[in-house]
Amino acid sequence: MKPIQHTQPSPLVRTILLFLIFITLWIQPSSALDGQIQIHDPSTIALCDGKFYTYGTGGTTLVSDDGWTWSRGVTPPRRGMAPDIIHIGDRYYLYIAANIGAQPKAAINMISSKSLNPDSPDYKWEECGVVASSDGVEFCNAIDPGLFLDPTDGKLWMVYGSYFGYIRLVQLDPRTGKRIDPNDKPIDIAINCEASVMIYHDGWYYLLATHGSCCRGADSGYNIRVGRARKVTGPFLDHTGLDMLEGGGKLFVGSGGRVIGPGHFGLIDLGDGVQKFSCHYEADLDRGGASVIDIRPLLWKDGWPVAGDHFKEGTYQIESVRTGTTIELAVEGVPVGGRRVRGPRPAGPGGPGADGGGGGGIFAGQGGVIPSQDVAQVSTSWPAGNIDIRMSNYLCQAQQKWTITSVTNVGGYLGSPYFKITIAGTDRTLAVDEDGELVALPAFSGGPEQLWRLDQLTDGTWRIMPKFALAAKESLAISAIGNSFATIAKFDPTSAKQRWILKTP
Amino acid sequence: MITLRNIRMTAFVVLAGSMFLAMAVAFGNAARNPATSLTRPATAERSPDPRGFIQRWIILEPIPATGLTDSAVQAAVKKEYFPNQLTIIPHDGDKVTVGGTELAWHAVDTSDYNVNLYYFASGFGKPTSNVLFWAVTTINCPQEMPGVRLSIGSNAASVWWVNGKEVIGIYGDRQTVIDDGVSKRLTLKKGPNVIRCAVVNGGGATDFCARFLDGEDEPLTGFTVSVGAVKQP
């Protein structure tokens, strides 16, 4: 065997290697969140005093002012495994599992407080005792609680269990967070999974649970699966009709991109048709394989939840669901390939102008490939200052292509940073003027009237909201009030006016 | 009670009724075409229809014009064809001379949401292709109405003014779509407000529609529309 030669790389190779290292470091992490986001088994995210909180295994607490940048928070007095939290009335109920011997001998304790904010005088955790347990013999491992307040009747439920046997359902008292009757026999609703949680949508109860193995870094097979039932007690069947009590479960989200092993679903319902979910990845490859939390859009298709992806920066056509027209600068468009007059139709096969197939005349084209429009060329006739915004049929023209990129150091919102929206290849920036109308500024300067929040709605379309209005607690969004005109108006979740399709041009 | 106003109204209605036959001839045969959607106003003022559409206008016979691009239409409407064309409040039967041709203003009511300019022009034996129509109306508001929007559709391109300020321009060869072009928020003053438009048609059908929307994008109906007295043909 030829021995391996260890030699110094050439300067060119070193340069290439340094470049590759730079590129690797520069690549945006797959997980969208910013700050300190390492956590395992995060709870459902709770909102208190304008801040977001989540609690994980081992006492990890993460807190965020905006849902985008996270930091370490104060550990509650009871720490354990895979907590879940629910806010009912004026109290927060935190359920935390603990080994009481060795799993599957385990118990779920509950503590409650009026506040999650350690600076609040109401931040006083009270021990409320055990709400569920397993004796080590029975076919259940009483950890991984998931809370569910049924919106149809106000009943409070908890699912729990982890791999050893059944996922079980018990009813709690919404006034105390405790078991209504500790002697009630738990109901078995799934098997051989963990991190279960229930949600309700459009007449169905959905049980989301994590399958696969955890805690093996990038070798973790964690993935979230779902079944649904007409009754809270099941049976929960997947899309093939397989009962989750027999191992069924439709894949909701698995590993993808640069993140491996999603688990521990948590619903974030923002109302107005906007839902998101939290989870953790067993390994984020862009963060050294650490376990981190993420927040992603929750979509619905054909009666099943679908895991949305983070918004991908890029250049888009912004098309109105209502009108089918797209947002553009109010400038005279130049047809791609140059303006052509409406010519005569060909005389037919063999006739004058016929090309033997596609027809002649105007139908014959110009020959060869027509390149995409060069914005530097066509923008020379655009006004130098502000330009009005309007809508038009999409014709692949430069004034209709918008580049959407995230902006650093301006905060964010649940699961995302703010974005700027500029005409591709230019600094022309979509903004809101002092009269509350859309306008394109000559350049981006970072003001809140130039920053945008993009929320994917549950049908997959997008809501686009200006940051300045969010700061004023106004639910304003870009609204197509005419085929040829868009403005900023109060968001109406029942209307198509404020739903947008972002298409890659 | 017999008042001067009532006498004036009665005379107005009788006069308008006597002119209906002439209008029917001018605007076509009811059995064959929709020109009868246009009639001469029979009242001094009227309300918009329940969906807010303004159904009374005074329209100038068409002026030759070509080009539907932004710049071509803007050039066409900025060209002076007759004195005070952006401020004049015409009366039925008024005449202007454009390029040596005498053109008349005609007051019309439409029974539809839109105004069919094709039959308006053809009814008077005028061309309908490569032409520009000027149309004016006055809406009378019982009180100031802030935060409203003019909302229009036109075949083809059109430019619109409210109380002398240009508020909408839509361009290109297009069909009339309700709420196609919408203005920015504006304020209608108490009393009369003048709405003016120029519609440029390339070929074929041509029409327009217009209404106002309130702050919730709902049709505005709390005003009346008038174009002044209608003269006998």
Side-chain angles (χ1 to χ4, degrees), chain A residues 281-343:
Chain A
Y281 302 121
E282 289 291 327
D284 181 342
L285 300 181
D286 292 327
R287 288 185 166 92
S291 173
V292 299
I293 190 172
D294 198 7
I295 298 170
R296 292 167 56 172
L298 175 61
L299 318 179
W300 290 89
K301 186 177 182 184
D302 300 328
W304 291 96
V306 176
D309 290 313
H310 295 300
F311 177 78
K312 290 183 175 59
E313 295 181 344
T315 296
Y316 292 95
Q317 166 198 351
I318 306 175
E319 179 183 294
S320 165
V321 171
R322 180 195 181 200
T323 66
T325 51
T326 65
I327 294 175
E328 67 171 21
L329 299 184
V331 295
E332 183 167 332
V334 178
V336 182
R339 197 172 295 283
R340 302 186 72 194
V341 296
R342 187 171 184 168

Side-chain angles (χ1 to χ4, degrees), chain A residues 106-323:
Chain A
I108 297 169
N109 286 266
M110 186 266 286
I111 58 177
S112 75
S113 171
K114 282 191 173 180
S115 176
L116 304 179
N117 178 4
D119 298 328
S120 168
D122 290 329
Y123 184 77
K124 296 173 186 170
W125 289 104
E126 296 176 14
E127 287 282 353
C128 301
V130 173
V131 290
S133 63
S134 53
D135 59 14
V137 177
E138 63 188 291
F139 202 36
C140 180
N141 180 18
I143 65 171
D144 284 15
L147 281 299
F148 171 59
L149 187 64
D150 190 335
T152 68
D153 57 16
K155 291 179 178 175
L156 180 62
W157 301 87
M158 183 179 76
V159 290
Y160 62 94
S162 171
Y163 289 125
F164 184 77
Y166 294 114
I167 299 297
R168 286 181 162 165
L169 175 73
V170 292
Q171 189 174 0
L172 308 181
D173 186 340
R175 294 167 301 181
T176 64
K178 300 178 182 178
R179 288 280 285 277
I180 285 184
D181 182 352
N183 297 316
D184 268 357
K185 185 183 177 189
I187 303 165
D188 298 334
I189 56 173
I191 196 167
N192 294 339
C193 51
E194 66 175 8
S196 56
V197 69
M198 204 180 293
I199 62 176
Y200 180 85
H201 179 83
D202 200 19
W204 290 91
Y205 296 89
Y206 293 84
L207 182 65
L208 292 112
T210 305
H211 287 219
S213 60
C214 82
C215 315
R216 294 168 184 254
D219 194 28
S220 303
Y222 244 23
N223 61 92
I224 302 175
R225 290 179 177 263
V226 60
R228 67 180 185 180
R230 285 296 187 187
K231 294 195 298 183
V232 71
T233 52
F236 290 90
L237 308 182
D238 69 13
H239 60 310
T240 69
L242 191 59
D243 196 324
M244 292 181 82
L245 265 173
E246 296 178 337
K250 181 181 189 292
L251 181 67
F252 169 71
V253 62
S255 302
R258 302 269 302 162
V259 290
I260 292 173
H264 286 256
F265 176 97
L267 175 67
I268 307 165
D269 191 342
L270 300 178
D272 287 348
V274 181
Q275 292 186 327
K276 302 184 185 233
F277 73 95
S278 60
C279 69
H280 81 261
Y281 302 121
E282 289 291 327
D284 181 342
L285 300 181
D286 292 327
R287 288 185 166 92
S291 173
V292 299
I293 190 172
D294 198 7
I295 298 170
R296 292 167 56 172
L298 175 61
L299 318 179
W300 290 89
K301 186 177 182 184
D302 300 328
W304 291 96
V306 176
D309 290 313
H310 295 300
F311 177 78
K312 290 183 175 59
E313 295 181 344
T315 296
Y316 292 95
Q317 166 198 351
I318 306 175
E319 179 183 294
S320 165
V321 171
R322 180 195 181 200
T323 66

